[in-house]
């Protein structure tokens, strides 16, 4: 039997388990491959003995409906820049890719399927260039990978955000308030844009379109007659004012390189409350945070994730390595991982949904 190792890296996302199950079922049917899972992204390779588990019918049965990942995940300890504490206490970043590629081969694996976002796929490409047979599966609720029309998890995240938005609309209406809801979206505003259109927001703020506070206040004024009226705003965590910065704080440990975004809705609330032209109404803010990443994947995401798992196995079986599974124009296909990580999927100002949003009166603060 030939052996595949599967890992899930980066932030979790509804649909990861459906991919794992898809790979397992397709491989079992081939009768030529067995599938193993590496625990906590590739960190499982560092344990002694390595934390790897053989996937079985029992371990994978019914997991497609569950959120999270049975293999656990991690978005710390990037092997391309692994932090090693030096004698003087300083941190040196080392490239552990050659070492990890060797470990995977030494454990007898013929291929690795790495499920993850742009960071994980950059690791996939580096492992591939170090001689490992790698196939990538794209994952992100932010939908910010350019080589695929959609990633699983995104639709579920938008549904969760839209459900929460609907709840905030009724309370905004009852109290004549301005409600600001912060959604995920570090560099790309896809969740914010889709939620704004689905929910009927008055204002949508995204990383791609820095906002002008005066324009936001102008839009709010339009909705209030004396103190009567209400406004619902969706803001992506990575949104920023014109000439301003994102709101976040540095990660607590050296193993985590990412700025922890969060709180821009509170900064906006403060700006609005201080603005001289703001109607004298109450403003409230809500951060959805990781709620958007948890729980049961929607049917669409289960289907997309299962399909991507099957396709990933087929690429392995065909010996077509260095590729990432992709969903384009309603077809499953694959692209070189190198191409997939070359560009980011930002919301462009002329995207059809931005046009739709503007046409129904949603303001972007520009
Ligand atoms: O990459 C997806 C994402 O959801 C971002 O939108 C967010 O900034 C980040 O993950 C948060 O990740 P964590 O809190 O797990 O480090």
């Amino acid at each position: 039997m030939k052996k595949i190792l599967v890992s899930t890296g980066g932030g979790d996302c509804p649909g990861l388990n459906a991919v794992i199950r898809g790979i397992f079922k397709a491989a079992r049917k081939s009768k030529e491959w067995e599938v193993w899972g590496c625990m906590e992204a590739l960190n499982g390779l560092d344990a002694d003995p390595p934390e790897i588990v053989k996937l079985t019918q029992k371990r994978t049965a019914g997991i497609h409906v569950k959120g999270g990942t049975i293999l656990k995940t991690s978005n710390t300890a990037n092997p391309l820049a692994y932090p090693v504490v030096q004698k003087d206490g300083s941190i040196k970043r080392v490239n552990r890719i050659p070492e990890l590629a060797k470990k995977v081969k030494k454990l007898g694996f013929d291929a690795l399927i790495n499920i993850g976002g742009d960071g994980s796929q950059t690791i996939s490409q580096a492992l591939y260039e170090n001689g490992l047979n790698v196939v990538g599966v794209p994952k992100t609720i932010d939908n910010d990978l350019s080589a695929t029309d959609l990633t699983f998890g995104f639709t579920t995240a938008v549904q969760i955000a839209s459900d929460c938005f609907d709840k905030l609309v009724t309370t905004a209406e009852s109290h004549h308030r301005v409600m600001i809801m912060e959604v995920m979206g570090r560099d790309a505003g896809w969740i914010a844009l889709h939620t704004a259109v689905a929910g009927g927001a008055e204002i949508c703020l995204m990383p791609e379109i820095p906002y002008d506070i005066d324009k936001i206040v102008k839009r709010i004024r339009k909705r209030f007659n004396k103190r009567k009226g209400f406004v619902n705003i969706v803001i992506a965590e990575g949104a920023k004012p014109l000439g301003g910065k994102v709101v976040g704080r540095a990660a607590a440990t050296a193993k985590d390189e990412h700025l922890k975004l969060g709180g821009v809705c509170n900064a906006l609330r403060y700006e609005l409350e201080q603005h001289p032209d703001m109607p004298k109404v109450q403003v409230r803010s809500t951060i959805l945070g990781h709620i958007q990443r948890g729980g049961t994947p929607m049917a669409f995401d289960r289907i997309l994730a299962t399909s991507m798992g099957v396709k990933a196995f087929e690429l392995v079986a065909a010996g077509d390595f260095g590729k990432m599974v992709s969903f384009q124009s309603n077809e499953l296909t694959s692209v070189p991982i190198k191409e997939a990580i070359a560009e980011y999927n930002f919301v462009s100002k002329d995207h059809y949904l931005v046009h739709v949003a503007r046409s129904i009166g949603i303001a972007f603060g520009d």
Side-chain angles (χ1 to χ4, degrees):
M1 286 286 250
K2 289 185 268 185
K3 284 167 62 174
I4 301 174
L5 185 65
V6 178
S7 73
T8 50
D12 70 344
C13 173
L16 284 169
N17 284 327
V19 180
I20 296 167
R21 176 173 165 273
I23 296 168
F24 170 75
K25 280 190 175 280
R28 192 177 58 151
K29 209 152 185 256
S30 79
K31 296 194 169 68
E32 287 176 26
W33 292 85
E34 59 187 40
V35 184
W36 290 64
C38 188
M39 300 307 287
E40 280 177 43
L42 294 171
N43 296 344
L45 295 172
D46 288 337
D48 189 14
E51 277 191 89
I52 54 172
V53 287
K54 190 172 176 194
L55 298 187
T56 59
Q57 165 69 19
K58 202 172 163 199
R59 280 204 167 106
T60 56
I63 61 170
H64 56 301
V65 304
K66 288 189 192 150
T69 159
I70 59 163
L71 299 178
K72 318 294 177 201
T73 187
S74 165
N75 56 5
T76 60
N78 176 4
L80 280 159
Y82 191 84
V84 180
V85 186
Q86 306 297 290
K87 273 188 193 147
D88 63 1
S90 63
I91 305 257
K92 189 180 166 198
R93 302 259 168 199
V94 298
N95 179 0
R96 295 192 57 219
I97 293 290
E99 178 197 338
L100 290 182
K102 257 190 221 151
K103 273 192 184 174
V104 175
K105 283 189 191 165
K106 212 171 158 206
L107 288 166
F109 288 104
D110 301 282
L112 169 74
I113 297 179
N114 196 21
I115 312 167
D118 60 334
S120 302
Q121 297 316 331
T122 306
I123 294 167
S124 299
Q125 177 63 20
L127 288 167
Y128 176 63
E129 285 169 10
N130 274 266
L132 209 60
N133 294 332
V134 185
V135 163
V137 177
K139 170 260 22 159
T140 152
I141 62 160
D142 292 355
N143 203 35
D144 51 15
L145 279 160
S146 64
T148 181
D149 291 350
L150 261 183
T151 48
F152 59 85
F154 170 68
T155 306
T156 302
V158 169
Q159 188 62 54
I160 295 169
S162 300
D163 290 345
C164 294
F165 184 86
D166 293 348
K167 297 181 204 301
L168 290 172
V169 169
T170 58
T171 165
E173 197 171 4
S174 309
H175 285 268
H176 304 297
R177 279 178 174 158
V178 174
M179 286 286 186
I180 312 169
M181 185 177 88
E182 180 176 321
V183 296
M184 281 189 168
R186 173 168 283 274
D187 304 295
W190 293 110
I191 296 178
L193 176 61
H194 281 72
T195 305
V197 174
E202 279 69 45
I203 299 166
C204 173
L205 304 173
M206 313 188 293
E208 293 88 341
I209 308 180
Y211 63 83
D212 178 340
I213 192 72
D214 295 340
K215 299 219 166 119
I216 296 176
V217 171
K218 212 170 154 195
R219 179 76 181 89
I220 292 173
R221 284 190 75 86
K222 256 184 151 179
R223 290 271 303 178
F224 280 92
N225 180 9
K226 300 217 168 101
R227 283 185 192 186
K228 304 275 188 256
F230 66 100
V231 165
N232 284 85
I233 303 176
V234 184
I235 185 166
E237 61 182 355
K240 47 192 168 312
L242 272 173
K245 282 191 187 145
V246 291
V247 177
R249 55 173 179 77
T253 68
K255 282 191 174 176
D256 193 352
E257 303 154 66
H258 289 296
L259 187 69
K260 297 292 144 204
L261 295 183
V264 67
C265 64
N266 297 326
L268 176 63
R269 174 181 169 181
Y270 182 75
E271 273 185 281
L272 291 175
E273 285 168 346
Q274 303 299 313
H275 199 284
D277 299 334
M278 182 70 181
K280 295 284 165 271
V281 296
Q282 292 177 325
V283 186
R284 295 288 186 268
S285 44
T286 305
I287 304 177
L288 293 194
H290 296 79
I291 284 173
Q292 295 156 93
R293 281 199 344 213
T296 307
M298 288 180 59
F300 178 85
D301 280 335
R302 293 180 208 175
I303 297 163
L304 181 61
T306 302
S307 309
M308 285 189 163
V310 170
K311 179 75 180 175
F313 169 72
E314 286 170 359
L315 290 171
V316 168
D320 198 359
F321 297 113
K323 296 285 176 64
M324 186 188 84
V325 176
S326 155
F327 181 70
Q328 286 175 10
S329 311
N330 234 10
E331 286 288 344
L332 269 184
T333 178
S334 65
V335 290
I337 301 172
K338 206 174 180 176
E339 266 175 36
I341 54 177
E343 262 182 62
Y344 213 71
N345 182 23
F346 294 114
V347 178
S348 74
K349 274 192 164 190
D350 54 6
H351 188 272
Y352 85 90
L353 203 52
V354 173
H355 167 73
V356 168
R358 288 195 199 276
S359 305
I360 58 169
I362 297 175
F364 288 90
D366 61 341

